């Protein structure tokens, strides 16, 4: 008897609405604060930076369902639905009784989930008459997605890519340039924020916080220009819920429901995108699914950071966000999972973690690549270094099932492929890949410096 491997929805089954978990949360996230007045943020406070519709989506805590614009949904059809895949090969290699599924977001035009939010952000900017957009990117997945979406909607895009990733991943830079974007390594001398940072740290290899500062500054300085963001903020995670909403229907097709949902974690968009549609059943229907965010050991904001108000960028341009953070001036180690090198967590995820509705684990870099290589050899897909963290957390849970004999259903998000990240696999294969960690004392010093 043959075993079904993939589950794919018909185009008509692609979601017509995004899911806003804030509406169903018992404890709503605390309000972001205006960076100057320290008063709760209003949508109009964000108008100078973001498209207006995105500003309202960001602070919407009442509407559980937000309509996907017809034009965006038509663009989603270029690659959605994405497959839900049963990982039989991985199960066999681990000898686990667990049933492992993954949502394969690597099949999008640019190879990751990031395009799910890039398209609506570019759409709303176009609808408002914007001509230019700016953004930041770590590993380059978001920058590639925004560059493509900008071209689709006739916008000019400028991308600040974290310098270490700009150097580690030259082909990601090439992808952005093919789509017509201007790409600048960050920190740079093109903005006041970049100049200030380089004055203090001339050899600084950058962080997402730094690149965000530069992109926001450029948006403010450029006429008819808006800033776009690839993670962290609530409206970005909202758009990503197409992942979990599709996965719900696909798990029904498979005749199963997940006991554990896992995704890698940088700012929270791919984690929330997969987890939140399932989490609503925990909140409303009494389901007991576990939700696990897998972050790097070297950037452990969820597992070892502190909950407090902090800026989302290094220069302090953004609103103050109530989040788990390592401090906006935190300098992350130069790991290859560039998309996870961010100091803070989104406000929704931070509240959910405090309320015990989710868990977090931190994964050493070597363990993540061990898991990624095992996945590649058993399932035939080379995962992005970020996605390797989710795979490693999945392997941990599957091996626990092997010990207990429990046949749990595990669902994880394969947020992107690693075909433009082969330099990192070269380092792994040659034995030159290192682990990085941070001491509790370093974290405390960093947060104390913010208080001063």
């Amino acid at each position: 008897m043959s075993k079904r491997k993939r589950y794919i929805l018909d185009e008509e089954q692609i979601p017509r609405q995004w899911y806003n978990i804030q509406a169903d949360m018992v404890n709503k996230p605390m309000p972001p604060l205006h960076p100057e007045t320290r008063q709760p943020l209003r949508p109009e406070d964000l108008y100078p930076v973001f498209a207006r519709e995105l500003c309202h989506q960001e602070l919407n805590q009442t509407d559980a369902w937000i309509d996907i614009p017809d034009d965006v949904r038509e663009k989603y059809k270029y690659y959605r639905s994405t497959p839900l895949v049963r990982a039989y090969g991985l199960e066999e290699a681990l000898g686990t009784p667990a049933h492992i599924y993954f949502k394969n977001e690597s099949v999008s035009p640019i190879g990751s989930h990031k395009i799910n939010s890039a398209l609506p952000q570019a759409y709303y900017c176009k609808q408002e008459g914007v001509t230019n957009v700016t953004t930041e990117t770590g590993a380059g997945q978001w920058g590639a997605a925004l560059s493509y979406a900008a071209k689709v909607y006739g916008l000019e895009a400028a991308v600040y890519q974290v310098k270490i990733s700009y150097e580690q991943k030259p082909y990601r830079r090439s992808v952005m340039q093919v789509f017509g974007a201007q790409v600048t390594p960050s920190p740079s001398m093109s903005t006041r924020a970049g100049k200030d940072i380089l004055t203090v740290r001339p050899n600084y290899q950058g962080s997402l916080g730094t690149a965000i500062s530069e992109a926001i500054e450029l948006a403010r300085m450029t006429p008819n220009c808006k800033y776009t963001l690839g993670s962290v903020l609530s409206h970005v995670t909202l758009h990503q819920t197409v992942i979990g909403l599709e996965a719900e229907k696909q798990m029904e097709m498979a005749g199963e429901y997940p006991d554990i949902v896992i995704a890698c974690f940088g700012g929270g968009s791919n984690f929330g995108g997969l987890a939140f549609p399932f989490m609503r059943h925990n909140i409303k229907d009494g389901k007991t699914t576990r939700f696990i965010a897998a972050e790097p050991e070297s950037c452990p904001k969820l597992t070892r950071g502190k909950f407090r108000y902090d800026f989302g960028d290094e220069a302090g341009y953004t609103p103050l966000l109530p989040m788990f953070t390592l401090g906006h001036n935190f300098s992350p180690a130069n790991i290859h999972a560039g998309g996870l090198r961010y100091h803070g967590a989104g406000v929704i995820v931070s509240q959910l973690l405090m309320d015990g509705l989710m868990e977090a684990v931190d994964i050493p870099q070597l363990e993540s690549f061990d898991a990624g290589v095992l996945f590649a050899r058993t399932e035939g897909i080379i995962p992005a270094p970020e996605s390797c963290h989710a795979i490693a957390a999945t392997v941990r849970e599957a091996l626990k099932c092997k010990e207990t004999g429990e046949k749990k259903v595990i669902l994880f998000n394969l947020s992107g492929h690693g075909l433009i990240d082969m330099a990192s696999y070269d380092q792994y294969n040659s034995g030159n890949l290192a682990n990085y960690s941070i001491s509790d004392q370093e974290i405390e010093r960093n947060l104390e410096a913010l208080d001063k």
Side-chain angles (χ1 to χ4, degrees):
M1 178 175 162
S2 63
K3 299 181 291 186
R4 184 163 180 178
K5 181 71 173 173
R6 300 194 307 158
Y7 300 86
I8 301 176
L9 303 176
D10 183 83
E11 285 184 358
E12 286 307 304
Q13 294 178 285
I14 296 171
R16 297 181 182 275
Q17 295 177 308
W18 296 302
Y19 172 61
N20 177 19
I21 196 173
Q22 294 187 82
D24 290 329
M25 291 171 65
V26 176
N27 297 317
K28 310 293 187 189
M30 294 163 57
L33 303 180
H34 193 286
E36 296 175 3
T37 67
R38 299 300 201 264
Q39 294 301 307
L41 207 64
R42 304 168 301 170
E44 52 265 36
D45 294 328
L46 296 171
Y47 286 175
V49 179
F50 294 101
R52 291 192 175 198
E53 177 59 28
L54 298 173
C55 301
H56 289 276
Q57 290 179 4
E58 180 64 26
L59 300 176
N60 187 335
Q61 295 188 339
T62 56
D63 299 317
W65 299 98
I66 308 295
D67 289 341
I68 300 173
D70 289 342
D71 190 74
V72 171
R73 190 170 178 275
E74 286 301 309
K75 300 295 190 299
Y76 278 170
K77 289 181 181 178
Y78 285 29
Y79 62 100
R80 308 210 69 88
S81 71
T82 60
L84 177 77
V85 185
R86 176 77 180 270
Y88 290 111
L90 182 61
E91 292 173 13
E92 183 178 353
L94 295 174
T96 179
H99 292 184
I100 302 174
Y101 294 85
F102 62 93
K103 191 78 163 99
N104 188 1
E105 291 294 301
S106 76
V107 299
S108 79
I110 51 84
S112 84
H113 71 293
K114 293 292 189 178
I115 195 171
N116 299 329
S117 186
L119 285 169
Q121 290 194 51
Y123 168 82
Y124 290 125
C125 286
K126 182 67 173 181
Q127 291 296 106
E128 199 170 308
V130 169
T131 57
N132 295 65
V133 290
T134 69
T135 197
E136 81 299 321
T137 192
Q141 297 276 28
W142 167 248
L146 193 278
S147 300
Y148 168 74
K151 186 57 61 177
V152 166
Y153 285 107
L155 307 173
E156 295 296 321
V159 181
Y160 285 92
Q161 185 174 11
V162 175
K163 185 176 292 183
I164 184 64
S165 291
Y166 184 92
E167 295 168 353
Q168 285 178 341
K169 306 173 191 293
Y171 293 120
R172 196 83 69 192
R173 177 203 327 157
S174 300
V175 170
M176 291 182 262
Q177 292 168 337
V178 164
F179 290 136
Q182 174 188 334
V183 187
T184 304
S186 175
S188 73
M189 296 297 288
S190 67
T191 66
R192 171 52 54 192
K195 290 175 184 175
D196 289 346
I197 291 166
L198 287 172
T199 298
V200 178
R201 289 180 280 179
N203 298 316
Y204 186 40
Q205 292 296 293
S207 70
L208 278 168
T210 302
I212 290 171
S213 294
E214 294 207 86
I216 290 175
E217 183 177 328
L218 181 62
R220 287 175 169 174
M221 294 167 52
T222 305
N224 209 24
C225 182
K226 296 293 183 184
Y227 169 65
T228 60
L229 185 65
S231 188
V232 185
L233 292 184
S234 301
H235 69 268
V236 185
T237 306
L238 171 75
H239 304 153
Q240 294 294 350
T241 58
V242 294
I243 303 171
L245 293 169
E246 285 184 0
E248 273 190 292
K249 297 176 183 178
Q250 291 163 317
M251 290 300 300
E252 288 180 14
M253 293 169 66
E256 304 209 78
Y257 190 87
D259 297 299
I260 305 171
V261 174
I262 298 172
C264 64
F265 193 92
S269 71
N270 99 91
F271 171 80
L274 178 65
F276 289 176
F278 289 100
M279 197 179 289
R280 84 181 192 275
H281 299 301
N282 278 31
I283 296 171
K284 300 180 70 176
D285 306 326
K287 291 279 190 180
T288 57
T289 300
R290 291 172 57 208
F291 300 93
I292 303 174
E295 63 184 2
E297 184 181 57
S298 59
C299 197
K301 58 265 188 176
L302 293 177
T303 53
R304 296 168 61 200
K306 305 296 182 185
F307 181 81
R308 53 165 289 167
Y309 274 99
D310 194 10
F311 291 105
D313 70 314
E314 188 158 350
Y317 292 155
T318 70
L320 285 158
L321 304 175
M323 61 182 181
F324 281 92
T325 179
L326 298 168
H328 66 271
N329 56 1
F330 173 69
S331 299
N334 294 333
I335 60 171
H336 285 276
L340 308 186
R341 296 174 66 250
Y342 184 66
H343 66 273
V347 299
I348 297 175
V349 173
S350 295
Q351 185 64 51
L352 292 169
L353 183 63
M354 286 200 299
D355 291 344
L357 288 166
M358 56 172 284
E359 311 164 33
V361 295
D362 53 60
I363 307 288
Q365 181 165 237
L366 279 173
E367 181 184 348
S368 73
F369 273 84
D370 286 342
V373 169
L374 175 63
F375 180 80
R377 292 174 178 176
T378 55
E379 296 296 329
I381 303 171
I382 299 175
E386 292 81 8
S387 302
C388 289
H389 291 73
I391 298 168
T394 297
V395 168
R396 288 183 182 183
E397 294 299 323
L399 291 177
K400 289 178 186 176
C401 290
K402 182 178 181 179
E403 292 176 5
T404 64
E406 295 174 283
K407 294 183 178 180
K408 291 185 177 179
V409 177
I410 304 172
L411 169 64
F412 76 88
N413 199 14
L414 182 68
S415 55
H417 68 64
L419 296 179
I420 310 183
D421 300 294
M422 296 313 297
S424 60
Y425 283 94
D426 285 344
Q427 289 218 341
Y428 173 84
N429 289 329
S430 64
N432 293 323
L433 201 65
N435 276 331
Y436 298 93
S437 61
I438 180 172
S439 69
D440 291 335
Q441 291 75 18
E442 288 178 271
I443 295 173
E444 289 296 334
R445 282 197 300 269
N446 201 55
L447 293 171
E448 287 172 4
L450 294 182
D451 293 330
K452 294 177 183 177

